Amino acid sequence: MKVFVAKGAGFCYGVKRAMDMAYAFADKNKGKKLYSLREIIHNPQEVKKLESRGVETVEEIGEIKGDAAAIISTHGVTPAEEAALKAKNVEEMDTTCPYVKKIHLIVKRLKEEGYGIIIVGDRDHYEVRGILGYAGQGAAVVSDIKEVKKLNVRARMGIVAQTTLNEAVFSEISCALMQRVFTFRNSEARIFNTICDATHKRQEATVALAKRADVVVIVGGKNSANTRRLTELAKGILKDVHHIESEEELKAAWFKGKKSAGVSAGASTPEWLIKKVVSKIKSYGRK
Amino acid sequence: MKVFVAKGAGFCYGVKRAMDMAYAFADKNKGKKLYSLREIIHNPQEVKKLESRGVETVEEIGEIKGDAAAIISTHGVTPAEEAALKAKNVEEMDTTCPYVKKIHLIVKRLKEEGYGIIIVGDRDHYEVRGILGYAGQGAAVVSDIKEVKKLNVRARMGIVAQTTLNEAVFSEISCALMQRVFTFRNSEARIFNTICDATHKRQEATVALAKRADVVVIVGGKNSANTRRLTELAKGILKDVHHIESEEELKAAWFKGKKSAGVSAGASTPEWLIKKVVSKIKSYGRK
């Protein structure tokens, strides 16, 4: 069986950077109690690997205690959380992705300039929660086009996207939001495409893969928004699409009678895991 | 026959203001050679009335000569034309509509801040030519959605509308432009709805009229962009729509067998002309 791997599958720049920073920080702070404020990235195997170096993943700042060192996850936190962490006086390493940090700066400036702010993305995702913190009170999150009509909009609105959003979804929601803003005279819709380049390339490559292969396997955390979006995109093109977290979930039946398989992976899926998946799929072909 | 007149038909704020300013200026400068740089508004009867006070309408600044006084039309001019007029050292009255002037300021600022600029509107209309002058080299005009794919866009674009543009057309073109901008990473589409309130109300009222009446008559200059757009809007709803410049063009046959007629008019159509049209239509009903 031919196995194609999507270009740009696996660790993106921000994830690779966060993991490198976290390991260096853990080494430097040996002896201290080590924390990661939320999962450093959305990949269970990588989180476990980091935990094996003594880093405990916690959900809230209140759980960080004693002579500690804390890592801020790649998804970022709110300014209130940043301040609360500072007040703890613990060693700190902020691995927030620079592309997410850029959105923090954009919404901060929009707020200062008096724009209403809308973030398009998953409202439960920590990246979006962090951005919302910077956008301040009155800012809103839109996860679905159906929500657009219920939103409070005003004459000057700034709109940003979660870095891993589906591009077609962002375009569609932005157009709908713009039309709502334009019911005001002298209005302005200021729309920032903050979907990152890695997301763009990964989505594009996954669509190409789904057009080419007979069956597609997407590898990544079930809680990884960008991985779930790859699965949705591929399902828009092909019936046989499977989202797995590791090679153990693969089933031989998926590949029966298929000539080719495609493998893509989320931004937080490590190279070694993709290789394991590819080699197991290839082994089915040899049987 | 019942005759309905659309709310907001006739002189808008900018046109009324321009005519008042022009007459006062003509009175004050009696004895001087009086010019209007292009038609003060796009209504042939009103232009003639102003000409009967000794004001000559010219197309180019070169035609303004001697100890003169010159009026800038309500559609505005380019900064180069403003400078050329200043250099002539003639008495000057700028009747540019404040809503058009506001667009000049928006595009000037967008240019200073490094945005690419697109103006959605009629490229041959003097309002658009004036705005284009302020937007500077590299700015482009889009008159039709088909032109969007050929445009040079970059990662940061500012988009404005001619004050009298059809709102649905602006929305559609803006969405298409936004999608082109979003092919760039870290991109921003900054879209200003500069369609004026009078246009909005007039278009809304004309659509309501076309839904209610059996035949619709639109009164206004054949060279008036906003009048032509009212005609298009009404034609989207009703077959029997007629664009006339004066009551002399009315035909009895249009109203045969009709129970009601609707009358709407462009921003540069005076009240007295609308009244003449209404009374002539009513006279058909009495025959």
Side-chain angles (χ1 to χ4, degrees):
Chain A
M1 168 149 12
K2 271 193 185 165
V3 183
F4 308 118
V5 178
K7 263 189 196 174
F11 273 18
C12 65
Y13 162 76
V15 162
K16 194 176 176 321
R17 173 179 171 275
M19 294 311 295
D20 289 347
M21 287 168 85
Y23 284 121
F25 185 69
D27 284 346
K28 198 185 134 199
N29 289 284
K30 259 180 195 158
K32 285 193 174 152
K33 174 70 187 140
L34 296 166
Y35 293 98
S36 174
L37 183 53
R38 287 139 206 164
E39 291 190 348
I40 175 121
I41 62 171
H42 277 149
N43 181 272
Q45 295 95 330
E46 289 293 312
V47 168
K48 260 185 209 157
K49 262 174 76 176
L50 190 63
E51 284 173 349
S52 74
R53 298 267 197 117
V55 177
E56 184 188 348
T57 303
V58 294
E59 282 301 300
E60 297 305 329
I61 288 167
E63 299 173 58
I64 297 169
K65 278 162 193 163
D67 180 23
I71 298 163
I72 293 176
S73 93
T74 189
H75 302 116
V77 293
T78 65
E81 287 172 328
E82 269 175 29
L85 198 57
K86 284 260 176 318
K88 290 237 168 212
N89 235 345
V90 298
E91 277 296 312
E92 181 190 321
M93 173 59 77
D94 184 353
T95 76
T96 306
C97 169
Y99 296 117
V100 174
K101 210 66 215 168
K102 196 176 171 194
I103 304 179
H104 292 176
L105 296 177
I106 290 172
V107 296
K108 191 167 169 270
R109 212 180 129 194
L110 285 170
K111 184 181 147 200
E112 284 162 6
E113 291 178 8
Y115 289 86
I117 299 170
I118 289 170
I119 304 151
V120 186
D122 285 350
R123 65 168 50 72
D124 296 329
H125 196 289
Y126 279 114
E127 178 186 333
V128 173
R129 290 190 191 183
I131 298 167
L132 194 57
Y134 275 90
Q137 277 197 318
V141 179
V142 174
S143 300
D144 188 290
I145 188 139
K146 286 176 204 145
E147 298 166 11
V148 170
K149 59 175 177 240
K150 291 177 238 158
L151 275 179
N152 275 325
V153 295
R154 41 195 226 243
R156 290 170 76 236
M157 296 299 292
I159 299 159
V160 297
Q162 187 176 0
T163 53
T164 54
L165 194 65
N166 176 309
E167 295 186 315
V169 168
F170 185 54
S171 269
E172 193 189 14
I173 292 180
S174 294
C175 279
L177 283 169
M178 192 192 73
Q179 273 156 0
R180 288 230 34 219
V181 174
F182 285 180
T183 58
F184 293 89
R185 298 305 98 207
N186 291 315
S187 50
E188 180 190 351
R190 198 169 172 182
I191 312 170
F192 295 81
N193 180 4
T194 50
I195 297 170
C196 73
D197 196 37
T199 299
H200 168 73
K201 285 186 179 151
R202 210 181 310 118
Q203 292 185 355
E204 208 172 47
T206 304
V207 165
L209 198 72
K211 287 181 180 167
R212 193 179 174 200
D214 298 326
V215 51
V216 162
V217 172
I218 311 282
V219 192
K222 295 275 159 81
N223 60 349
S224 157
N226 82 80
T227 308
R228 287 202 307 267
R229 286 198 192 98
L230 292 182
T231 309
E232 285 163 21
L233 272 176
K235 278 189 175 166
I237 292 159
L238 191 71
K239 201 174 60 83
D240 292 311
V241 177
H242 308 279
H243 177 180
I244 61 171
E245 282 194 347
S246 82
E247 78 286 356
E248 290 164 24
E249 293 172 58
L250 286 169
K251 285 181 184 150
W254 296 346
F255 307 94
K256 229 171 212 170
K258 309 287 188 198
K259 281 183 188 154
S260 65
V263 175
S264 187
S268 46
T269 305
E271 186 71 19
W272 59 262
L273 184 52
I274 300 172
K275 280 187 179 157
K276 271 191 178 177
V277 169
V278 169
S279 101
K280 193 161 177 192
I281 295 175
K282 280 186 177 163
S283 79
Y284 294 132
R286 284 192 291 273
K287 278 171 196 163
Chain B
M1 167 146 16
K2 272 193 183 165
V3 183
F4 309 119
V5 178
K7 263 190 197 173
F11 271 18
C12 65
Y13 162 75
V15 162
K16 194 176 174 323
R17 173 180 171 275
M19 294 310 296
D20 290 347
M21 287 169 83
Y23 283 120
F25 184 69
D27 283 348
K28 199 186 133 199
N29 289 283
K30 259 179 196 158
K32 284 192 176 155
K33 175 68 187 137
L34 295 166
Y35 293 98
S36 173
L37 182 54
R38 286 138 209 167
E39 293 190 348
I40 175 120
I41 62 170
H42 278 149
N43 182 272
Q45 296 93 330
E46 289 293 315
V47 168
K48 262 183 207 159
K49 263 175 76 177
L50 189 63
E51 285 175 347
S52 74
R53 298 266 196 117
V55 177
E56 183 188 348
T57 303
V58 294
E59 283 300 301
E60 298 304 330
I61 288 167
E63 299 174 58
I64 297 169
K65 278 162 193 164
D67 181 22
I71 299 163
I72 292 176
S73 93
T74 188
H75 302 115
V77 292
T78 65
E81 287 172 328
E82 270 176 28
L85 198 56
K86 284 259 176 320
K88 289 238 168 214
N89 236 344
V90 298
E91 276 296 314
E92 179 190 323
M93 173 59 76
D94 184 354
T95 76
T96 306
C97 169
Y99 297 117
V100 174
K101 210 66 216 165
K102 197 177 171 194
I103 305 179
H104 292 177
L105 296 177
I106 290 172
V107 296
K108 192 167 168 269
R109 212 179 129 194
L110 285 171
K111 184 181 145 199
E112 284 162 5
E113 292 178 7
Y115 289 86
I117 299 170
I118 290 169
I119 305 151
V120 186
D122 286 350
R123 65 168 50 72
D124 295 328
H125 195 289
Y126 280 114
E127 178 187 332
V128 173
R129 290 190 194 182
I131 298 168
L132 194 56
Y134 275 89
Q137 277 198 316
V141 179
V142 174
S143 299
D144 188 291
I145 188 140
K146 285 176 205 147
E147 298 165 12
V148 170
K149 60 174 178 243
K150 290 177 239 159
L151 274 179
N152 276 325
V153 296
R154 39 196 227 242
R156 291 170 76 236
M157 295 298 293
I159 299 158
V160 298
Q162 186 177 2
T163 53
T164 54
L165 193 66
N166 176 309
E167 294 186 314
V169 168
F170 185 54
S171 270
E172 193 190 13
I173 292 180
S174 295
C175 278
L177 284 170
M178 193 192 74
Q179 274 158 356
R180 287 227 36 217
V181 174
F182 285 0
T183 57
F184 292 89
R185 299 307 98 206
N186 291 314
S187 50
E188 181 188 352
R190 198 169 172 182
I191 312 169
F192 295 81
N193 180 2
T194 50
I195 297 169
C196 73
D197 197 38
T199 299
H200 167 73
K201 285 184 179 150
R202 210 179 312 117
Q203 292 185 355
E204 208 172 49
T206 303
V207 165
L209 198 73
K211 286 180 181 169
R212 194 179 173 201
D214 299 325
V215 51
V216 162
V217 173
I218 311 282
V219 193
K222 297 275 160 82
N223 59 350
S224 155
N226 82 81
T227 309
R228 287 202 308 265
R229 285 197 192 99
L230 293 181
T231 309
E232 285 163 22
L233 272 176
K235 279 190 173 167
I237 293 160
L238 192 70
K239 200 174 59 83
D240 292 312
V241 178
H242 308 279
H243 177 182
I244 61 171
E245 282 195 347
S246 83
E247 78 286 356
E248 290 165 23
E249 294 171 56
L250 287 169
K251 287 182 183 149
W254 295 346
F255 306 95
K256 229 171 211 170
K258 310 288 188 196
K259 282 183 187 153
S260 65
V263 175
S264 187
S268 45
T269 306
E271 188 71 19
W272 60 263
L273 184 53
I274 300 172
K275 280 186 178 157
K276 271 192 178 178
V277 169
V278 169
S279 104
K280 192 161 178 191
I281 295 175
K282 279 185 178 161
S283 80
Y284 295 131
R286 283 192 292 273
K287 276 172 197 164

